[in-house]
Amino acid sequence: MKYIIFEDFGGHQTPILFPGRILHEEMRDQIPYARVLSAGEVECIGGEFVCRGRSKALGVKASAEDAAVISAHFAGQESDT
């Protein structure tokens, strides 16, 4: 799957996961007012999220903290990192 992590209006990191057939820039167009922090591909390996890659079109790449941000949202917590 692909993902983008946005900064919402409250300054929180908000991940959006979507199918690989959708381009990062297509998903970006759906959320025009939030700032893009990172983007790439995510998969679950051995119960852990692994993020990698980049979006050339958005000019961002996966960061070391992306997996923790995504995990926190699946656990029902918000991550402020």
Side-chain angles (χ1 to χ4, degrees), residues 18-44:
F18 52 97
R21 68 181 175 273
I22 298 172
L23 300 174
H24 282 105
E25 57 267 32
E26 291 173 333
M27 183 57 68
R28 171 68 178 113
D29 289 344
Q30 301 304 309
I31 306 172
Y33 300 108
R35 184 169 70 109
V36 174
L37 301 174
S38 60
E41 297 178 359
V42 61
E43 62 182 315
C44 188

